[in-house]
Amino acid sequence: LNQKLGDYNSDMFELNELRDLLALSEKYSDFQTVGATIIAKDTSNWFAEFTIDKGLEDGIKVDMNVLWGNGLAGIVTEVGEGYSIVTSIIQDDMNVSAVSSSTRDTCIVSGDLELMEKGYVSLMYIHNDAKIGEYERVITSTTSSKYLPGILIGYAYDIKNDSNGLTKSGYLIPVVDFKHMEHVLVVLTTKEEMY
């Protein structure tokens, strides 16, 4: 009975995750997507870089956006025949051009694995006159070179004036749980192909 209960709980978890992916694909129905399973990850506690079971034979290309949870997880950085490597937005060298969804003020979301231990990444280069408020939705901008526009990244937090008097900075709480990932959606077009 314990074995059956364990199998049932595991099946329910996977079913709920697949339902979430379906809801996410419907949320971003303007984009054609394909589901993929994470088959490996780096050695850190986070899914900062991970491998999925889809590759060239599935139409995956470098710079395709990857979604999970309620929004942007990362971008494809390497592709093989039956696999692809995804670098997530929390990785230290990752930057995403973004905007506030209501005020359209621009900013940069910058990955920071050390800050992720506290549950957020950096939000920088916000103009001093910007009206980005606490828990404001932050989405990918149209000016991003690799990320498709309008994808939810997270919520602004603790925005303060910088010492230079010209900009503000703070934190972003990502909408993706980068500790618990199994399946993702890959958007089957790149920003370059779209425009």
Side-chain angles (χ1 to χ4, degrees), residues 1-13:
L1 285 174
N2 283 337
Q3 178 65 38
K4 285 184 178 180
L5 181 61
D7 291 346
Y8 173 78
N9 287 337
S10 177
D11 289 346
M12 287 305 295
F13 177 82

mmCIF file of all heavy atoms in Angstrom, residues 1-13:
data_model
loop_
_atom_site.group_PDB
_atom_site.id
_atom_site.type_symbol
_atom_site.label_atom_id
_atom_site.label_comp_id
_atom_site.label_asym_id
_atom_site.label_seq_id
_atom_site.Cartn_x
_atom_site.Cartn_y
_atom_site.Cartn_z
ATOM 1 N N LEU A 1 0.822 -1.211 0.000
ATOM 2 C CA LEU A 1 0.000 0.000 0.000
ATOM 3 C C LEU A 1 0.861 1.268 0.000
ATOM 4 O O LEU A 1 0.526 2.245 -0.666
ATOM 5 C CB LEU A 1 -0.935 -0.001 1.216
ATOM 6 C CG LEU A 1 -2.136 -0.952 1.135
ATOM 7 C CD1 LEU A 1 -2.888 -0.958 2.444
ATOM 8 C CD2 LEU A 1 -3.048 -0.574 -0.014
ATOM 9 N N ASN A 2 1.959 1.230 0.781
ATOM 10 C CA ASN A 2 2.861 2.385 0.794
ATOM 11 C C ASN A 2 3.461 2.626 -0.586
ATOM 12 O O ASN A 2 3.603 3.775 -1.015
ATOM 13 C CB ASN A 2 3.973 2.180 1.823
ATOM 14 C CG ASN A 2 3.497 2.426 3.238
ATOM 15 O OD1 ASN A 2 2.518 3.129 3.448
ATOM 16 N ND2 ASN A 2 4.181 1.839 4.202
ATOM 17 N N GLN A 3 3.825 1.525 -1.280
ATOM 18 C CA GLN A 3 4.369 1.648 -2.633
ATOM 19 C C GLN A 3 3.340 2.249 -3.584
ATOM 20 O O GLN A 3 3.639 3.156 -4.358
ATOM 21 C CB GLN A 3 4.818 0.270 -3.138
ATOM 22 C CG GLN A 3 5.347 0.275 -4.561
ATOM 23 C CD GLN A 3 6.621 1.076 -4.704
ATOM 24 O OE1 GLN A 3 7.471 1.051 -3.817
ATOM 25 N NE2 GLN A 3 6.746 1.816 -5.787
ATOM 26 N N LYS A 4 2.101 1.767 -3.495
ATOM 27 C CA LYS A 4 1.039 2.286 -4.356
ATOM 28 C C LYS A 4 0.766 3.755 -4.062
ATOM 29 O O LYS A 4 0.541 4.554 -4.973
ATOM 30 C CB LYS A 4 -0.233 1.461 -4.181
ATOM 31 C CG LYS A 4 -0.182 0.109 -4.855
ATOM 32 C CD LYS A 4 -1.494 -0.622 -4.728
ATOM 33 C CE LYS A 4 -1.422 -1.959 -5.448
ATOM 34 N NZ LYS A 4 -2.649 -2.720 -5.356
ATOM 35 N N LEU A 5 0.775 4.113 -2.780
ATOM 36 C CA LEU A 5 0.557 5.505 -2.392
ATOM 37 C C LEU A 5 1.683 6.388 -2.920
ATOM 38 O O LEU A 5 1.440 7.485 -3.439
ATOM 39 C CB LEU A 5 0.448 5.619 -0.869
ATOM 40 C CG LEU A 5 0.187 7.017 -0.324
ATOM 41 C CD1 LEU A 5 -1.136 7.564 -0.854
ATOM 42 C CD2 LEU A 5 0.179 7.009 1.202
ATOM 43 N N GLY A 6 2.917 5.893 -2.821
ATOM 44 C CA GLY A 6 4.060 6.650 -3.350
ATOM 45 C C GLY A 6 3.956 6.846 -4.849
ATOM 46 O O GLY A 6 4.212 7.942 -5.365
ATOM 47 N N ASP A 7 3.580 5.780 -5.572
ATOM 48 C CA ASP A 7 3.415 5.879 -7.029
ATOM 49 C C ASP A 7 2.307 6.863 -7.383
ATOM 50 O O ASP A 7 2.432 7.653 -8.321
ATOM 51 C CB ASP A 7 3.093 4.509 -7.629
ATOM 52 C CG ASP A 7 4.276 3.550 -7.562
ATOM 53 O OD1 ASP A 7 5.409 4.012 -7.311
ATOM 54 O OD2 ASP A 7 4.047 2.336 -7.762
ATOM 55 N N TYR A 8 1.209 6.799 -6.629
ATOM 56 C CA TYR A 8 0.081 7.704 -6.867
ATOM 57 C C TYR A 8 0.505 9.155 -6.668
ATOM 58 O O TYR A 8 0.212 10.017 -7.496
ATOM 59 C CB TYR A 8 -1.074 7.351 -5.925
ATOM 60 C CG TYR A 8 -2.220 8.330 -5.983
ATOM 61 C CD1 TYR A 8 -3.138 8.289 -7.028
ATOM 62 C CD2 TYR A 8 -2.374 9.304 -4.998
ATOM 63 C CE1 TYR A 8 -4.179 9.199 -7.098
ATOM 64 C CE2 TYR A 8 -3.406 10.217 -5.060
ATOM 65 C CZ TYR A 8 -4.308 10.163 -6.101
ATOM 66 O OH TYR A 8 -5.334 11.071 -6.162
ATOM 67 N N ASN A 9 1.210 9.428 -5.568
ATOM 68 C CA ASN A 9 1.659 10.804 -5.287
ATOM 69 C C ASN A 9 2.609 11.304 -6.363
ATOM 70 O O ASN A 9 2.545 12.460 -6.776
ATOM 71 C CB ASN A 9 2.317 10.877 -3.911
ATOM 72 C CG ASN A 9 1.313 10.777 -2.784
ATOM 73 O OD1 ASN A 9 0.130 11.075 -2.970
ATOM 74 N ND2 ASN A 9 1.761 10.348 -1.621
ATOM 75 N N SER A 10 3.491 10.425 -6.832
ATOM 76 C CA SER A 10 4.422 10.795 -7.895
ATOM 77 C C SER A 10 3.675 11.104 -9.191
ATOM 78 O O SER A 10 3.954 12.097 -9.867
ATOM 79 C CB SER A 10 5.420 9.659 -8.125
ATOM 80 O OG SER A 10 6.287 9.970 -9.180
ATOM 81 N N ASP A 11 2.692 10.255 -9.527
ATOM 82 C CA ASP A 11 1.888 10.484 -10.727
ATOM 83 C C ASP A 11 1.095 11.791 -10.628
ATOM 84 O O ASP A 11 0.978 12.530 -11.604
ATOM 85 C CB ASP A 11 0.921 9.316 -10.958
ATOM 86 C CG ASP A 11 1.632 8.042 -11.399
ATOM 87 O OD1 ASP A 11 2.812 8.123 -11.782
ATOM 88 O OD2 ASP A 11 1.004 6.973 -11.335
ATOM 89 N N MET A 12 0.557 12.074 -9.439
ATOM 90 C CA MET A 12 -0.213 13.309 -9.242
ATOM 91 C C MET A 12 0.671 14.536 -9.386
ATOM 92 O O MET A 12 0.272 15.544 -9.972
ATOM 93 C CB MET A 12 -0.901 13.312 -7.873
ATOM 94 C CG MET A 12 -2.092 12.373 -7.792
ATOM 95 S SD MET A 12 -3.338 12.688 -9.073
ATOM 96 C CE MET A 12 -3.903 14.300 -8.609
ATOM 97 N N PHE A 13 1.909 14.452 -8.871
ATOM 98 C CA PHE A 13 2.843 15.573 -9.001
ATOM 99 C C PHE A 13 3.132 15.848 -10.469
ATOM 100 O O PHE A 13 3.085 16.985 -10.926
ATOM 101 C CB PHE A 13 4.149 15.275 -8.246
ATOM 102 C CG PHE A 13 5.177 16.346 -8.396
ATOM 103 C CD1 PHE A 13 5.125 17.485 -7.609
ATOM 104 C CD2 PHE A 13 6.193 16.240 -9.346
ATOM 105 C CE1 PHE A 13 6.067 18.493 -7.760
ATOM 106 C CE2 PHE A 13 7.130 17.241 -9.504
ATOM 107 C CZ PHE A 13 7.066 18.371 -8.705
#
